[in-house]
Structures are given as C-alpha cells and as structure tokens.
C-alpha cells in the first residue's frame, strides 16, 4: 500500500491474555520502529529493526513484550499476559534505510485496551 | 522507555499570530532532526526536517531553527490557523551508525479563534 498499515485499529483484551499487533511498512523501507503512546503523553520508543541487523530492543519495558519482523517486511509486536498498564496506542513507523536521511512514516496506530 | 513526555505542555495562541514551539534534544551526535504534528486519533505526520549542517530551514508557513551549541530546536508557525491545533513533537536521529529515532516531549498547540 501507499502508507504504513496497522491492524487491528482497536483491540480490547482481558488482563492476562496475549495480543499480537501487526504493522505493514511502506514497501522498500528497511527500517521499522514501534512506539507506545499513553493517553496525552509522548512517544515511548520500544524497538527498532534495520534490514538484517539485530533489532534494537532497548525500549521494550519487560520480557512480556517481543517483536518480530519476517522477511524484512511485516512486523508483529506481541504482548504476553497483558496488564492494565499496557493500555495505550501502539504506533509503527517505517523509513528508508541507513545512509538516507529521511523522515519516518507512521501508521494510524493500534489502540489497545486491557480490561 | 526513552524520551517520554509527561503531561504535555500547552501553548495557546490567537488565530493569525505566530507560534513558536521549542524542543531540547539529548544526543550531541544526532545529525538529523524532524518535526511531527499529531492530530487527535491519528499517527504523527511529518512537517519539516533539518540536518545538523544547517541552522535554519523554511517550509510553507513553517520554519525550523537549530542551535547545536545548546542542543535546541524550535518550530515557528506563521499566521497560525485553527487547523494547526495539534500536538507537536521533535525527533532526533543519527546517520549510519545510529538510525534510532527518538522523540522529545511534545507540545500541545491550541489556536483560539
């Protein structure tokens, strides 16, 4: 597609359940980022993929959070045993590869509500 | 997590006035900076960018200023319009060695009619 696509747009889950959030980046973009945004707050970096390099996982808040990027394209963010404090909007962005100083393009986000 | 803003500051301006939004960045090695606009319920959208070898860049109604000495960015919006009401974030990144994109704490801009 023309832009970054995230699914689902909204997800309500029960505490303790696992959830998977999906991101389809812009075709050809080798860099992919996940951020978390709590209500009324800024963007918290979670994880970053660049090509075939090992991802930068330094922002993942706990071992309940993990992410994969298959074939250098689609990415899935998984949250295991969800807690109420995981409720937030999860944003994905993609960007052209290293050496090209361009902006990142964001999807519309997935609003996760843990009840 | 890195660089998360708490309780976003708010800038209220009269329609037609100029707005100035400020941002302090953290990494002196960053060499590329971006301003994003985020409207309610949407993902951030690109406004304007600047490289570290510049100190000013102008777009349509927007100007970004970079002061590397004090690690400060500003976004100037001329003749602010109601449609400019949003949250504005600055972001910093390195070049080849570090492509991580880190966001500053945002500022909410409210435009009074």
């Amino acid at each position: 597609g023309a832009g970054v696509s995230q699914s689902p747009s909204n997800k309500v889950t029960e505490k303790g359940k696992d959830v998977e959030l999906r991101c389809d980046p812009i075709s050809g973009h080798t860099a992919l980022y996940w951020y978390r945004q709590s209500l009324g707050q800024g963007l918290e970096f979670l994880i970053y993929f660049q090509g075939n390099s090992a991802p930068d996982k330094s922002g993942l808040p706990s071992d309940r959070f993990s992410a994969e990027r298959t074939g250098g394209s689609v990415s899935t963010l998984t949250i295991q045993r969800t807690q109420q404090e995981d409720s937030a909007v999860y944003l994905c962005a993609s960007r052209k590869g290293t050496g090209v100083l361009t902006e990142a393009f964001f999807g519309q986000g997935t609003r996760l509500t843990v009840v | 997590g890195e660089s998360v803003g708490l309780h976003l500051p708010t800038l209220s301006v009269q329609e037609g006035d100029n707005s100035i939004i400020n941002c302090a960045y953290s990494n002196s090695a960053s060499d590329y900076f971006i301003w994003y606009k985020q409207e309610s319920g949407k993902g951030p959208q690109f406004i304007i960018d600047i490289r570290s070898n510049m100190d000013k860049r102008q777009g349509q109604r927007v100007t970004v200023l970079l002061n590397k000495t004090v690690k400060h960015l500003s976004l100037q919006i001329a003749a602010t319009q109601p449609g400019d009401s949003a949250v504005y974030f600055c972001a910093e990144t390195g070049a080849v060695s570090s492509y991580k994109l880190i966001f500053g704490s945002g500022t909410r801009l409210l435009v009074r009619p």
Side-chain angles (χ1 to χ4, degrees):
Chain A
V4 177
S5 177
Q6 291 187 246
S7 61
S9 55
N10 283 283
K11 176 72 176 179
V12 180
T13 189
E14 292 181 351
K15 178 181 173 181
K17 300 283 189 183
D18 298 351
V19 295
E20 286 189 349
L21 313 180
R22 177 186 169 104
C23 174
D24 281 273
I26 293 173
S27 178
H29 282 192
T30 59
L32 187 147
Y33 307 80
W34 282 99
Y35 296 88
R36 179 169 70 175
Q37 188 174 33
S38 299
L39 185 62
Q41 296 193 13
L43 278 73
E44 177 187 5
F45 169 78
L46 296 178
I47 188 169
Y48 151 57
F49 296 89
Q50 172 54 52
N52 296 320
S53 302
D56 181 335
K57 304 179 181 180
S58 60
L60 294 178
S62 76
D63 59 7
R64 295 187 296 106
F65 288 72
S66 62
E68 290 184 337
R69 189 178 186 192
T70 54
S73 180
V74 171
S75 178
T76 302
L77 177 69
T78 301
I79 308 173
Q80 295 178 309
R81 305 180 303 281
T82 51
Q83 303 295 313
Q84 288 186 329
E85 60 263 29
D86 299 334
S87 296
V89 174
Y90 289 82
L91 290 160
C92 174
S94 74
R95 191 178 175 201
K96 290 182 181 178
T98 55
V100 182
L101 293 178
T102 63
E103 71 272 28
F105 295 83
F106 280 83
Q108 295 297 297
T110 294
R111 181 176 298 277
L112 176 66
T113 304
V114 182
V115 297
Chain B
E2 293 183 66
S3 207
V4 178
L6 298 177
H7 305 298
L8 299 175
T10 298
L11 173 67
S12 179
V13 299
Q14 189 71 38
E15 180 179 357
D17 287 352
N18 297 334
S19 302
I20 299 176
I21 299 171
N22 296 304
C23 176
Y25 64 93
S26 56
N27 187 353
S28 58
S30 293
D31 52 12
Y32 179 57
F33 305 89
I34 310 167
W35 278 99
Y36 283 91
K37 172 185 180 183
Q38 187 178 28
E39 296 175 297
S40 182
K42 297 183 179 180
Q45 290 184 297
F46 170 85
I47 303 174
I48 191 168
D49 57 3
I50 189 167
R51 300 188 181 193
S52 59
N53 60 354
M54 305 170 68
D55 54 21
K56 180 179 180 179
R57 189 162 188 227
Q58 287 185 294
Q60 186 177 13
R61 283 203 306 120
V62 293
T63 300
V64 54
L65 299 178
L66 174 62
N67 185 330
K68 294 181 289 293
T69 303
V70 295
K71 294 190 288 187
H72 183 268
L73 275 169
S74 67
L75 177 70
Q76 300 177 356
I77 304 174
T80 313
Q81 302 170 359
D84 295 327
S85 292
V87 177
Y88 291 81
F89 293 97
C90 68
E92 60 178 303
T93 187
V96 176
S97 61
S98 173
Y99 218 51
K100 191 158 68 174
L101 189 63
I102 299 301
F103 283 77
S105 53
T107 298
R108 186 180 306 280
L109 176 65
L110 293 178
V111 181
R112 305 188 304 272

Short mmCIF file of all heavy atoms in Angstrom, two decimals, chain A residues 31 33 35 37 40-45 48 50 56 58 91 95-104 106-108, chain B residues 1-6 8 32 34 36 38 41-44 46 51 89 93-96 99-103 108:
data_model
loop_
_atom_site.label_atom_id
_atom_site.label_comp_id
_atom_site.label_asym_id
_atom_site.label_seq_id
_atom_site.Cartn_x
_atom_site.Cartn_y
_atom_site.Cartn_z
N ALA A 31 13.88 0.18 7.50
CA ALA A 31 13.84 0.49 8.93
C ALA A 31 12.39 0.49 9.41
O ALA A 31 11.50 1.04 8.74
CB ALA A 31 14.48 1.84 9.23
N TYR A 33 10.01 0.86 13.13
CA TYR A 33 10.03 1.26 14.55
C TYR A 33 8.67 0.98 15.19
O TYR A 33 7.63 1.16 14.55
CB TYR A 33 10.28 2.77 14.69
CG TYR A 33 11.49 3.33 13.98
CD1 TYR A 33 11.45 3.61 12.62
CD2 TYR A 33 12.66 3.61 14.67
CE1 TYR A 33 12.56 4.14 11.97
CE2 TYR A 33 13.77 4.15 14.03
CZ TYR A 33 13.71 4.41 12.68
OH TYR A 33 14.80 4.96 12.04
N TYR A 35 6.50 2.22 18.67
CA TYR A 35 6.42 3.15 19.79
C TYR A 35 5.14 2.89 20.56
O TYR A 35 4.16 2.37 20.01
CB TYR A 35 6.41 4.61 19.31
CG TYR A 35 7.67 5.05 18.60
CD1 TYR A 35 7.81 4.86 17.23
CD2 TYR A 35 8.70 5.66 19.29
CE1 TYR A 35 8.96 5.26 16.57
CE2 TYR A 35 9.86 6.07 18.64
CZ TYR A 35 9.98 5.87 17.29
OH TYR A 35 11.12 6.26 16.64
N GLN A 37 2.33 4.98 23.01
CA GLN A 37 1.88 6.31 23.41
C GLN A 37 0.70 6.18 24.36
O GLN A 37 -0.39 5.78 23.96
CB GLN A 37 1.50 7.15 22.18
CG GLN A 37 1.21 8.59 22.52
CD GLN A 37 0.99 9.45 21.29
OE1 GLN A 37 0.47 8.98 20.28
NE2 GLN A 37 1.38 10.71 21.36
N GLY A 40 -2.42 11.19 26.15
CA GLY A 40 -1.94 12.53 26.45
C GLY A 40 -0.46 12.64 26.67
O GLY A 40 0.01 13.67 27.17
N GLN A 41 0.29 11.61 26.28
CA GLN A 41 1.72 11.65 26.52
C GLN A 41 2.51 11.51 25.22
O GLN A 41 1.93 11.48 24.13
CB GLN A 41 2.10 10.55 27.51
CG GLN A 41 1.46 10.75 28.88
CD GLN A 41 2.06 9.86 29.93
OE1 GLN A 41 3.09 9.24 29.75
NE2 GLN A 41 1.39 9.82 31.08
N GLY A 42 3.82 11.48 25.36
CA GLY A 42 4.69 11.42 24.20
C GLY A 42 4.88 10.01 23.67
O GLY A 42 4.20 9.07 24.07
N LEU A 43 5.82 9.87 22.74
CA LEU A 43 6.09 8.59 22.10
C LEU A 43 7.26 7.89 22.80
O LEU A 43 8.37 8.40 22.83
CB LEU A 43 6.43 8.79 20.62
CG LEU A 43 5.24 8.95 19.68
CD1 LEU A 43 4.59 10.30 19.85
CD2 LEU A 43 5.68 8.74 18.24
N GLU A 44 6.98 6.72 23.32
CA GLU A 44 7.98 5.93 24.02
C GLU A 44 8.54 4.90 23.05
O GLU A 44 7.81 4.04 22.55
CB GLU A 44 7.35 5.24 25.22
CG GLU A 44 8.28 4.32 25.99
CD GLU A 44 7.56 3.53 27.07
OE1 GLU A 44 6.32 3.63 27.15
OE2 GLU A 44 8.23 2.80 27.81
N PHE A 45 9.84 4.97 22.78
CA PHE A 45 10.49 4.02 21.88
C PHE A 45 10.44 2.62 22.46
O PHE A 45 10.73 2.41 23.63
CB PHE A 45 11.94 4.45 21.66
CG PHE A 45 12.79 3.42 20.96
CD1 PHE A 45 12.70 3.25 19.60
CD2 PHE A 45 13.65 2.61 21.68
CE1 PHE A 45 13.47 2.28 18.95
CE2 PHE A 45 14.42 1.65 21.05
CZ PHE A 45 14.33 1.49 19.68
N TYR A 48 13.39 -1.28 17.35
CA TYR A 48 13.74 -0.78 16.03
C TYR A 48 14.43 -1.88 15.25
O TYR A 48 15.34 -2.54 15.75
CB TYR A 48 14.63 0.45 16.22
CG TYR A 48 15.63 0.76 15.14
CD1 TYR A 48 15.23 0.96 13.83
CD2 TYR A 48 16.98 0.88 15.44
CE1 TYR A 48 16.15 1.26 12.85
CE2 TYR A 48 17.90 1.19 14.45
CZ TYR A 48 17.48 1.37 13.17
OH TYR A 48 18.40 1.68 12.20
N GLN A 50 16.40 -2.75 11.54
CA GLN A 50 17.06 -2.17 10.39
C GLN A 50 17.63 -3.30 9.55
O GLN A 50 18.61 -3.95 9.93
CB GLN A 50 18.17 -1.20 10.80
CG GLN A 50 19.04 -0.71 9.66
CD GLN A 50 18.25 -0.10 8.53
OE1 GLN A 50 17.42 0.79 8.72
NE2 GLN A 50 18.49 -0.58 7.31
N ASP A 56 17.20 -3.38 17.73
CA ASP A 56 17.48 -2.64 18.96
C ASP A 56 16.26 -2.76 19.85
O ASP A 56 15.25 -2.12 19.61
CB ASP A 56 17.78 -1.18 18.61
CG ASP A 56 18.10 -0.33 19.83
OD1 ASP A 56 17.69 -0.67 20.95
OD2 ASP A 56 18.77 0.70 19.64
N SER A 58 16.12 -2.06 23.07
CA SER A 58 16.42 -1.39 24.33
C SER A 58 15.22 -0.71 24.97
O SER A 58 15.24 -0.42 26.16
CB SER A 58 17.54 -0.37 24.12
OG SER A 58 17.16 0.59 23.16
N LEU A 91 2.16 2.55 18.05
CA LEU A 91 2.41 3.15 16.74
C LEU A 91 3.59 2.47 16.07
O LEU A 91 4.60 2.19 16.71
CB LEU A 91 2.70 4.64 16.87
CG LEU A 91 1.51 5.51 17.28
CD1 LEU A 91 1.99 6.85 17.85
CD2 LEU A 91 0.61 5.76 16.08
N ARG A 95 10.82 3.58 7.48
CA ARG A 95 11.72 4.60 6.97
C ARG A 95 12.70 3.94 6.01
O ARG A 95 13.00 2.75 6.15
CB ARG A 95 12.48 5.17 8.18
CG ARG A 95 13.28 6.40 7.97
CD ARG A 95 13.89 6.82 9.31
NE ARG A 95 14.77 7.95 9.14
CZ ARG A 95 15.73 8.28 9.99
NH1 ARG A 95 15.92 7.55 11.08
NH2 ARG A 95 16.49 9.31 9.77
N LYS A 96 13.20 4.70 5.06
CA LYS A 96 14.22 4.18 4.17
C LYS A 96 15.47 3.83 4.98
O LYS A 96 15.64 4.25 6.10
CB LYS A 96 14.56 5.22 3.10
CG LYS A 96 13.44 5.43 2.09
CD LYS A 96 13.86 6.43 1.02
CE LYS A 96 12.74 6.67 0.04
NZ LYS A 96 13.12 7.68 -0.98
N GLY A 97 16.36 3.08 4.37
CA GLY A 97 17.48 2.53 5.10
C GLY A 97 18.55 3.53 5.49
O GLY A 97 18.47 4.71 5.18
N THR A 98 19.52 3.03 6.19
CA THR A 98 20.61 3.87 6.67
C THR A 98 21.33 4.55 5.51
O THR A 98 21.36 4.05 4.39
CB THR A 98 21.63 3.05 7.46
OG1 THR A 98 22.08 1.97 6.65
CG2 THR A 98 21.03 2.52 8.72
N GLY A 99 21.87 5.70 5.82
CA GLY A 99 22.57 6.46 4.81
C GLY A 99 21.67 7.43 4.07
O GLY A 99 22.13 8.27 3.31
N VAL A 100 20.38 7.31 4.29
CA VAL A 100 19.42 8.22 3.66
C VAL A 100 18.69 8.95 4.77
O VAL A 100 17.94 8.35 5.53
CB VAL A 100 18.41 7.46 2.78
CG1 VAL A 100 17.46 8.44 2.11
CG2 VAL A 100 19.13 6.60 1.75
N LEU A 101 18.94 10.22 4.89
CA LEU A 101 18.32 10.98 5.97
C LEU A 101 16.94 11.46 5.55
O LEU A 101 16.79 12.53 4.96
CB LEU A 101 19.21 12.16 6.37
CG LEU A 101 20.54 11.76 7.03
CD1 LEU A 101 21.38 12.99 7.35
CD2 LEU A 101 20.30 10.95 8.29
N THR A 102 15.96 10.63 5.81
CA THR A 102 14.58 10.98 5.50
C THR A 102 13.72 10.70 6.72
O THR A 102 14.12 10.01 7.64
CB THR A 102 14.03 10.17 4.32
OG1 THR A 102 14.03 8.79 4.68
CG2 THR A 102 14.86 10.39 3.08
N GLU A 103 12.50 11.22 6.63
CA GLU A 103 11.59 11.08 7.76
C GLU A 103 11.05 9.66 7.84
O GLU A 103 11.10 8.89 6.89
CB GLU A 103 10.43 12.07 7.65
CG GLU A 103 9.42 11.76 6.54
CD GLU A 103 9.78 12.37 5.21
OE1 GLU A 103 11.00 12.58 4.93
OE2 GLU A 103 8.84 12.64 4.44
N ALA A 104 10.51 9.33 9.00
CA ALA A 104 9.77 8.09 9.19
C ALA A 104 8.29 8.37 8.97
O ALA A 104 7.79 9.45 9.29
CB ALA A 104 10.00 7.55 10.60
N PHE A 106 4.41 7.17 9.73
CA PHE A 106 3.67 6.46 10.77
C PHE A 106 2.35 5.88 10.28
O PHE A 106 1.70 6.44 9.39
CB PHE A 106 3.36 7.40 11.93
CG PHE A 106 4.52 7.61 12.85
CD1 PHE A 106 5.49 8.55 12.56
CD2 PHE A 106 4.64 6.86 14.01
CE1 PHE A 106 6.58 8.74 13.41
CE2 PHE A 106 5.72 7.04 14.86
CZ PHE A 106 6.69 7.97 14.55
N GLY A 107 1.98 4.76 10.89
CA GLY A 107 0.64 4.25 10.72
C GLY A 107 -0.31 4.97 11.67
O GLY A 107 0.10 5.87 12.42
N GLN A 108 -1.57 4.56 11.63
CA GLN A 108 -2.59 5.22 12.46
C GLN A 108 -2.59 4.69 13.89
O GLN A 108 -3.24 5.27 14.76
CB GLN A 108 -3.97 5.01 11.84
CG GLN A 108 -4.14 5.68 10.50
CD GLN A 108 -4.01 7.19 10.61
OE1 GLN A 108 -4.79 7.85 11.26
NE2 GLN A 108 -2.98 7.75 9.97
N GLY B 1 11.08 3.68 29.05
CA GLY B 1 11.32 3.98 27.66
C GLY B 1 12.06 5.30 27.51
O GLY B 1 12.14 6.09 28.45
N GLU B 2 12.54 5.56 26.33
CA GLU B 2 13.31 6.76 26.13
C GLU B 2 12.45 7.93 25.78
O GLU B 2 11.51 7.84 25.01
CB GLU B 2 14.31 6.53 24.99
CG GLU B 2 15.37 5.52 25.35
CD GLU B 2 16.37 5.38 24.24
OE1 GLU B 2 17.11 6.33 23.98
OE2 GLU B 2 16.43 4.30 23.65
N SER B 3 12.78 9.07 26.33
CA SER B 3 12.28 10.38 25.94
C SER B 3 10.76 10.44 25.89
O SER B 3 10.18 10.78 24.87
CB SER B 3 12.88 10.73 24.56
OG SER B 3 12.96 12.10 24.40
N VAL B 4 10.13 10.13 26.96
CA VAL B 4 8.68 10.20 27.00
C VAL B 4 8.26 11.46 27.73
O VAL B 4 8.73 11.74 28.81
CB VAL B 4 8.11 8.97 27.74
CG1 VAL B 4 6.61 9.08 27.84
CG2 VAL B 4 8.52 7.71 27.03
N GLY B 5 7.37 12.20 27.13
CA GLY B 5 6.88 13.41 27.78
C GLY B 5 5.77 13.10 28.75
O GLY B 5 4.97 12.22 28.51
N LEU B 6 5.74 13.77 29.85
CA LEU B 6 4.69 13.60 30.84
C LEU B 6 3.88 14.87 30.88
O LEU B 6 4.44 15.95 31.00
CB LEU B 6 5.30 13.31 32.21
CG LEU B 6 6.13 12.05 32.32
CD1 LEU B 6 6.74 11.93 33.69
CD2 LEU B 6 5.28 10.82 32.02
N LEU B 8 1.82 16.86 28.73
CA LEU B 8 2.30 17.73 27.69
C LEU B 8 2.03 19.19 28.00
O LEU B 8 0.92 19.57 28.34
CB LEU B 8 1.63 17.37 26.37
CG LEU B 8 1.87 15.95 25.84
CD1 LEU B 8 1.03 15.71 24.61
CD2 LEU B 8 3.34 15.75 25.56
N TYR B 32 20.27 14.68 12.44
CA TYR B 32 19.08 14.89 11.61
C TYR B 32 17.91 15.04 12.57
O TYR B 32 17.76 14.25 13.50
CB TYR B 32 18.90 13.70 10.67
CG TYR B 32 17.69 13.76 9.77
CD1 TYR B 32 17.48 14.81 8.89
CD2 TYR B 32 16.76 12.73 9.78
CE1 TYR B 32 16.39 14.84 8.05
CE2 TYR B 32 15.67 12.75 8.95
CZ TYR B 32 15.48 13.81 8.08
OH TYR B 32 14.40 13.84 7.25
N ILE B 34 13.62 16.14 13.02
CA ILE B 34 12.34 16.17 12.33
C ILE B 34 11.28 16.72 13.28
O ILE B 34 11.28 16.41 14.48
CB ILE B 34 11.91 14.74 11.90
CG1 ILE B 34 13.05 14.02 11.17
CG2 ILE B 34 10.66 14.80 11.03
CD1 ILE B 34 12.79 12.52 11.00
N TYR B 36 7.19 16.66 13.88
CA TYR B 36 5.96 15.96 13.54
C TYR B 36 4.77 16.67 14.18
O TYR B 36 4.87 17.24 15.27
CB TYR B 36 5.99 14.52 14.06
CG TYR B 36 6.83 13.58 13.23
CD1 TYR B 36 8.17 13.37 13.53
CD2 TYR B 36 6.27 12.87 12.17
CE1 TYR B 36 8.94 12.50 12.78
CE2 TYR B 36 7.04 12.00 11.42
CZ TYR B 36 8.36 11.81 11.74
OH TYR B 36 9.13 10.95 10.99
N GLN B 38 0.81 15.79 15.38
CA GLN B 38 -0.10 14.70 15.64
C GLN B 38 -1.47 15.24 16.03
O GLN B 38 -1.62 15.89 17.06
CB GLN B 38 0.42 13.78 16.75
CG GLN B 38 -0.43 12.53 16.93
CD GLN B 38 0.11 11.59 17.99
OE1 GLN B 38 0.76 12.01 18.93
NE2 GLN B 38 -0.17 10.29 17.84
N GLY B 41 -6.23 11.14 17.55
CA GLY B 41 -6.64 9.88 16.95
C GLY B 41 -5.85 9.48 15.71
O GLY B 41 -6.20 8.49 15.06
N LYS B 42 -4.79 10.22 15.41
CA LYS B 42 -4.00 9.92 14.22
C LYS B 42 -2.54 9.68 14.58
O LYS B 42 -2.09 10.06 15.67
CB LYS B 42 -4.10 11.06 13.21
CG LYS B 42 -5.50 11.31 12.69
CD LYS B 42 -5.48 12.41 11.64
CE LYS B 42 -6.86 12.66 11.07
NZ LYS B 42 -6.87 13.74 10.04
N GLY B 43 -1.81 9.09 13.66
CA GLY B 43 -0.39 8.96 13.83
C GLY B 43 0.32 10.26 13.52
O GLY B 43 -0.23 11.14 12.85
N PRO B 44 1.54 10.44 14.02
CA PRO B 44 2.29 11.66 13.71
C PRO B 44 2.53 11.83 12.22
O PRO B 44 2.76 10.85 11.50
CB PRO B 44 3.61 11.44 14.46
CG PRO B 44 3.30 10.45 15.52
CD PRO B 44 2.26 9.55 14.93
N PHE B 46 4.73 14.11 9.26
CA PHE B 46 5.92 14.91 9.01
C PHE B 46 5.55 16.37 8.68
O PHE B 46 4.61 16.62 7.92
CB PHE B 46 6.68 14.30 7.83
CG PHE B 46 7.81 15.13 7.30
CD1 PHE B 46 9.05 15.08 7.88
CD2 PHE B 46 7.61 15.97 6.21
CE1 PHE B 46 10.10 15.83 7.38
CE2 PHE B 46 8.65 16.73 5.71
CZ PHE B 46 9.89 16.66 6.29
N ARG B 51 18.97 19.15 8.74
CA ARG B 51 20.21 18.42 9.01
C ARG B 51 21.12 19.26 9.88
O ARG B 51 21.00 20.49 9.94
CB ARG B 51 20.91 18.06 7.71
CG ARG B 51 20.05 17.19 6.82
CD ARG B 51 20.78 16.66 5.63
NE ARG B 51 19.90 15.85 4.79
CZ ARG B 51 20.32 15.06 3.82
NH1 ARG B 51 21.61 14.97 3.55
NH2 ARG B 51 19.45 14.35 3.12
N PHE B 89 5.76 17.25 18.01
CA PHE B 89 6.91 16.54 18.57
C PHE B 89 8.14 16.81 17.71
O PHE B 89 8.05 16.82 16.48
CB PHE B 89 6.69 15.03 18.55
CG PHE B 89 5.60 14.54 19.46
CD1 PHE B 89 4.34 14.29 18.96
CD2 PHE B 89 5.85 14.31 20.80
CE1 PHE B 89 3.32 13.82 19.78
CE2 PHE B 89 4.85 13.84 21.63
CZ PHE B 89 3.58 13.60 21.12
N THR B 93 17.80 11.87 15.32
CA THR B 93 18.37 10.60 14.90
C THR B 93 19.79 10.81 14.43
O THR B 93 20.18 11.92 14.09
CB THR B 93 17.52 9.95 13.78
OG1 THR B 93 18.01 8.64 13.49
CG2 THR B 93 17.56 10.78 12.51
N GLY B 94 20.54 9.70 14.42
CA GLY B 94 21.88 9.76 13.89
C GLY B 94 21.85 9.38 12.42
O GLY B 94 20.80 9.20 11.83
N ALA B 95 23.01 9.21 11.85
CA ALA B 95 23.10 8.86 10.44
C ALA B 95 23.30 7.35 10.33
O ALA B 95 22.49 6.58 10.79
CB ALA B 95 24.23 9.64 9.77
N VAL B 96 24.36 6.91 9.77
CA VAL B 96 24.53 5.50 9.51
C VAL B 96 24.68 4.68 10.78
O VAL B 96 24.13 3.61 10.91
CB VAL B 96 25.76 5.28 8.60
CG1 VAL B 96 26.01 3.80 8.38
CG2 VAL B 96 25.54 5.98 7.27
N TYR B 99 20.45 4.73 13.72
CA TYR B 99 19.27 5.17 12.98
C TYR B 99 18.04 5.22 13.87
O TYR B 99 16.94 5.42 13.39
CB TYR B 99 19.05 4.21 11.81
CG TYR B 99 18.58 4.87 10.55
CD1 TYR B 99 19.23 5.97 10.01
CD2 TYR B 99 17.47 4.38 9.87
CE1 TYR B 99 18.80 6.55 8.85
CE2 TYR B 99 17.03 4.96 8.71
CZ TYR B 99 17.69 6.05 8.20
OH TYR B 99 17.27 6.64 7.05
N LYS B 100 18.25 5.02 15.18
CA LYS B 100 17.11 5.05 16.09
C LYS B 100 16.53 6.46 16.10
O LYS B 100 17.27 7.45 16.09
CB LYS B 100 17.57 4.65 17.49
CG LYS B 100 16.44 4.39 18.44
CD LYS B 100 16.89 3.51 19.61
CE LYS B 100 17.85 4.17 20.53
NZ LYS B 100 18.13 3.30 21.72
N LEU B 101 15.23 6.55 16.12
CA LEU B 101 14.53 7.82 16.07
C LEU B 101 13.90 8.06 17.43
O LEU B 101 13.00 7.33 17.83
CB LEU B 101 13.47 7.76 14.97
CG LEU B 101 12.74 9.03 14.59
CD1 LEU B 101 13.71 10.05 14.02
CD2 LEU B 101 11.65 8.72 13.57
N ILE B 102 14.40 9.06 18.12
CA ILE B 102 13.94 9.34 19.48
C ILE B 102 13.17 10.64 19.51
O ILE B 102 13.63 11.66 18.99
CB ILE B 102 15.14 9.42 20.44
CG1 ILE B 102 15.89 8.09 20.46
CG2 ILE B 102 14.67 9.78 21.85
CD1 ILE B 102 15.07 6.90 20.89
N PHE B 103 12.02 10.59 20.16
CA PHE B 103 11.14 11.75 20.21
C PHE B 103 11.32 12.53 21.50
O PHE B 103 11.50 11.96 22.57
CB PHE B 103 9.68 11.30 20.09
CG PHE B 103 9.30 10.96 18.69
CD1 PHE B 103 9.68 9.77 18.12
CD2 PHE B 103 8.58 11.86 17.91
CE1 PHE B 103 9.36 9.46 16.81
CE2 PHE B 103 8.24 11.57 16.61
CZ PHE B 103 8.63 10.36 16.06
N ARG B 108 1.39 20.74 23.12
CA ARG B 108 0.05 20.86 22.55
C ARG B 108 -0.18 22.31 22.15
O ARG B 108 -0.01 23.23 22.96
CB ARG B 108 -1.00 20.42 23.57
CG ARG B 108 -2.41 20.37 23.01
CD ARG B 108 -3.40 19.93 24.07
NE ARG B 108 -3.02 18.67 24.70
CZ ARG B 108 -3.23 17.47 24.17
NH1 ARG B 108 -3.86 17.38 23.01
NH2 ARG B 108 -2.85 16.39 24.80
#
